Amino acid sequence: MRSEQMTKGIDRAPHRALLKAIGYTDNELKRPLIGVAQSANEVIPGHVHLDKICQAVKDGIRMAGGTPMEFSTIGICDGIAMGHTGMKYSLASRELIADSVESMARAYPFDGLVLLPNCDKIVPGMIMAGARLDLPTIVVSGGPMRTGVCGGREIDLITVFEGMGKYRVGELTEAELIELENAACPGAGSCSGMFTANSMNCLTEALGIALPGNGTTLAIDAARIRLAKAGGEAIMHLVEKNITLRQILTREAFHNALAVDMAFGGSTNTSLHLPAIAHEAGVELTLQDFNEVSDKTPHICNMSPGGPDHMEDLHQAGGVAAIMKTLAQSGLLHEEALTVTGQTLKGVLADPQITVANPDTIRPLTDPYHPTGGLTVLTGNLALEGAVVKQSAVAPEMLVHQGSARVFDAEEEAYAAIIGREINPGDVIVIRYEGPQGGPGMREMLSPTAALAGIGLDKEVALLTDGRFSGGTRGAAIGHISPEAAAGGLIGLIEEGDQIRIDIPQRTLSLLVDDAEIARRRAAWQKPEAKIKKGYLARYARQVSSAARGAIME
């Protein structure tokens, strides 16, 4: 056992003495030692209950003959960090989380690892560390939040963000906005739509690194506690068989995740996180892979923010396993891929209880919402390395659009113009210097897109950025434009009034300015000073790669 490096033999008497100071017995120290990386805290609603989930995981480990050793990581809630300096730290925190889990698991040679995250950057950050470490590993998430209800209709966090826009134009009173605020997030869990956290938690099932139900079982359900105990037991089987994470995180597993992502219309942020995880696992995953899988995979779930369904609807319809079974029956998945159950995906999906219970929530492939996947990658002179859009959440009339550029060098400037009613139908809003280097940190910008939806312009105005959008964004919001402005990308040379053409069906994004004029502007362009010159973000800006590569640290 790996843990014997710190527990076995006369030379490890000092080590055992320190572990006994914690309360571990000789018998416990002879068993497989399982690290449990959890991110419980009192600042994220998706994490406030993780102490209870963690206890259930530890109970499962003990029932199966192991000794759990719990440790913590940081976590940032994108919704609470939204719209201020805090959002600069969100994506960057993914690397800190990965480094911290790696550090703990190297300092303490655990025999296995349970990753217990729940929200946006914590899920990929922990999995990235797991891929580096290549130990027997399983992911047990905290589960999604129950859907809010207000005035007899289902609502979620995005309803409140969009409600701010409605309030600004007089469509909601302050009292009505507060009523939404009080009802949208009814308790613990990751926000209830197919936003980034839930997209990534669902994709842990598709990758084969979590048990069925991990992505959709509600945070507050007793079934979540039982699932956590089962996860604790499962890690012991993985340790016994020495099935490590990289044996599961193969290229085939990542293509399964892409197919499921396209089928349920996941967050655009998966185009950052899946390549970053793949990089740590030694697998090359490019934005071109997203388009290739999207071409083959129909969009069969209409989840919030693009549609009416929430996570509990998907769970009741059969969950991620039912989506995978639907895809597998048409040969769209690699069924030989290994999973943490010890079985191949084919073996997991052979369970007769896995079935589609509601064909309106999980449609048959013959009757999809869209014939191709929920995400698509655009290229063109404005996005030589790529840009990402959730095409399933774009109104049909905005799939092809040409308009005049309205240029802003920061999110706050654009938001002020939107709520100040300075944006006209047909405009193309450009928000730049918000990329991984230029932001720094590639801020998620839900406020501008929600404001556009709130004032009724989401079907008439496009928004482009080298930053990123929330998984809760809808409309013609195109992000991750690479190369970014701070790296000399063409987005940094756009001028007010320039014509920009978007053609999502043809996957192109073009600045309609002649080459001679672009050359003149490039010759005059000067890279702006760094916005943050000290601390972690300054180091991050110097080391982070393009968003097209997953914003990994070089």
Side-chain angles (χ1 to χ4, degrees):
M1 295 192 301
R2 296 174 180 84
S3 60
E4 289 179 349
Q5 297 174 55
M6 68 175 175
T7 60
K8 187 176 181 180
I10 196 69
D11 291 339
R12 296 298 180 253
H15 306 66
R16 291 192 298 273
L18 289 166
L19 290 167
K20 287 177 179 179
I22 300 170
Y24 293 110
T25 67
D26 285 323
N27 187 35
E28 287 178 300
L29 296 178
K30 291 175 183 176
R31 298 174 180 178
L33 303 184
I34 309 299
V36 181
Q38 59 88 5
S39 47
N41 58 52
E42 295 182 350
V43 293
I44 306 178
H47 291 229
V48 71
H49 67 308
L50 288 189
D51 55 342
K52 297 180 178 63
I53 307 297
C54 186
Q55 185 58 55
V57 167
K58 293 190 292 184
D59 289 344
I61 292 169
R62 288 196 174 96
M63 286 190 294
T67 298
M69 291 183 163
E70 175 187 345
F71 63 94
S72 302
T73 69
I74 65 168
I76 291 174
C77 173
D78 280 28
I80 297 173
M82 195 78 64
H84 57 87
T85 302
M87 181 48 73
K88 293 178 182 290
Y89 287 85
S90 175
L91 180 59
S93 75
R94 186 187 72 181
E95 314 309 313
L96 291 175
I97 292 160
D99 289 350
S100 66
V101 174
E102 176 199 0
S103 298
M104 288 295 289
R106 293 295 188 205
Y108 299 86
F110 300 123
D111 298 300
L113 196 60
V114 179
L115 305 176
L116 183 52
N118 210 32
C119 290
D120 298 59
K121 308 308 166 295
I122 301 92
V123 180
M126 284 194 181
I127 300 171
M128 287 164 65
R132 285 181 203 169
L133 294 162
D134 197 26
L135 299 172
T137 303
I138 190 171
V139 179
V140 178
S141 77
M145 186 183 292
R146 181 167 56 86
T147 308
V149 177
C150 184
R153 70 183 179 107
E154 292 186 343
I155 63 171
D156 54 37
L157 179 65
I158 306 310
T159 315
V160 186
F161 270 98
E162 295 182 359
M164 293 191 301
K166 294 179 184 296
Y167 169 75
R168 295 284 186 180
V169 297
E171 291 186 18
L172 278 183
T173 66
E174 183 176 359
E176 289 170 329
L177 180 59
I178 292 173
E179 188 178 6
L180 291 177
E181 172 188 327
N182 289 333
C185 300
S190 47
C191 296
S192 58
M194 191 57 81
F195 315 140
T196 304
N198 288 325
S199 295
M200 290 306 302
N201 280 327
C202 286
L203 293 183
T204 62
E205 292 189 48
L207 287 167
I209 60 177
L211 296 177
N214 184 65
T216 59
T217 304
L218 287 183
I220 59 172
D221 279 2
R224 174 61 60 178
I225 299 295
R226 296 194 295 272
L227 182 65
K229 290 179 180 177
E233 293 179 290
I235 189 60
M236 298 306 298
H237 298 307
L238 292 171
V239 169
E240 179 184 357
K241 297 177 182 178
N242 196 30
I243 297 174
T244 65
L245 200 59
R246 287 196 193 179
Q247 293 174 43
I248 298 173
L249 289 178
T250 61
R251 182 165 182 80
E252 290 74 22
F254 283 102
H255 273 249
N256 287 345
L258 289 180
V260 173
D261 193 10
M262 297 305 162
F264 62 48
S267 165
T268 53
N269 287 312
T270 62
S271 67
L272 287 173
H273 301 321
L274 286 176
I277 295 167
H279 173 76
E280 299 291 356
V283 174
E284 184 179 6
L285 192 71
T286 69
L287 291 182
Q288 183 58 34
D289 290 312
F290 280 74
N291 274 349
E292 288 177 3
V293 176
S294 180
D295 283 341
K296 302 172 185 175
T297 312
H299 174 228
I300 58 175
C301 300
N302 201 15
M303 306 291 295
S304 176
D309 289 331
H310 290 86
M311 297 309 295
E312 59 201 87
D313 301 310
L314 179 57
H315 185 69
Q316 291 163 6
V320 176
I323 295 175
M324 289 196 288
K325 197 163 195 173
T326 300
L327 297 175
Q329 288 168 347
S330 291
L332 293 174
L333 297 183
H334 296 279
E335 292 189 82
E336 72 282 4
L338 185 61
T339 75
V340 290
T341 66
Q343 297 177 289
T344 63
L345 180 60
K346 184 175 183 178
V348 172
L349 298 181
D351 184 346
Q353 293 185 345
I354 297 175
T355 184
V356 175
N358 185 344
D360 290 328
T361 299
I362 303 174
R363 284 192 174 183
L365 296 179
T366 55
D367 184 29
Y369 287 100
H370 300 93
T372 57
L375 299 182
T376 197
V377 175
L378 312 181
T379 55
N381 69 342
L382 195 47
L384 294 176
E385 296 175 1
V388 184
V389 62
K390 183 186 279 194
Q391 64 177 344
S392 59
V394 179
E397 55 266 44
M398 290 298 293
L399 290 172
V400 177
H401 179 75
Q402 182 174 320
S404 299
R406 303 294 306 280
V407 183
F408 304 94
D409 287 346
E411 174 191 5
E412 291 83 356
E413 296 174 11
Y415 181 70
I418 293 168
I419 64 173
R421 309 306 294 272
E422 298 172 19
I423 302 299
N424 301 311
D427 284 348
V428 177
I429 300 170
V430 177
I431 306 177
R432 61 192 182 188
Y433 296 106
E434 290 285 6
Q437 297 175 32
M442 200 179 184
R443 281 195 289 182
E444 186 172 278
M445 290 177 279
L446 178 55
S447 296
T449 57
L452 283 174
I455 64 176
L457 285 178
D458 58 305
K459 296 181 180 179
E460 299 179 81
V461 170
L463 200 158
L464 312 182
T465 184
D466 53 6
R468 61 193 178 90
F469 294 115
S470 164
T473 290
R474 60 188 174 98
I478 300 168
H480 305 209
I481 292 176
S482 301
E484 62 176 287
L490 188 59
I491 187 173
L493 305 182
I494 300 173
E495 294 183 358
E496 192 84 5
D498 284 349
Q499 289 294 297
I500 294 173
R501 181 169 175 80
I502 300 161
D503 191 331
I504 294 174
Q506 295 299 315
R507 293 175 174 161
T508 59
L509 181 62
S510 305
L511 176 65
L512 303 183
V513 173
D514 65 61
D515 291 343
E517 174 60 16
I518 289 174
R520 184 194 67 78
R521 294 181 190 180
R522 191 172 297 283
W525 179 80
Q526 292 184 336
K527 184 173 183 175
E529 282 191 25
K531 295 177 184 176
I532 295 179
K533 298 181 176 63
K534 293 182 179 180
Y536 173 58
L537 278 185
R539 298 197 304 274
Y540 178 85
R542 291 194 296 269
Q543 296 177 320
V544 70
S545 78
S546 163
R549 296 181 57 211
I552 58 174
M553 295 284 276
E554 300 286 10

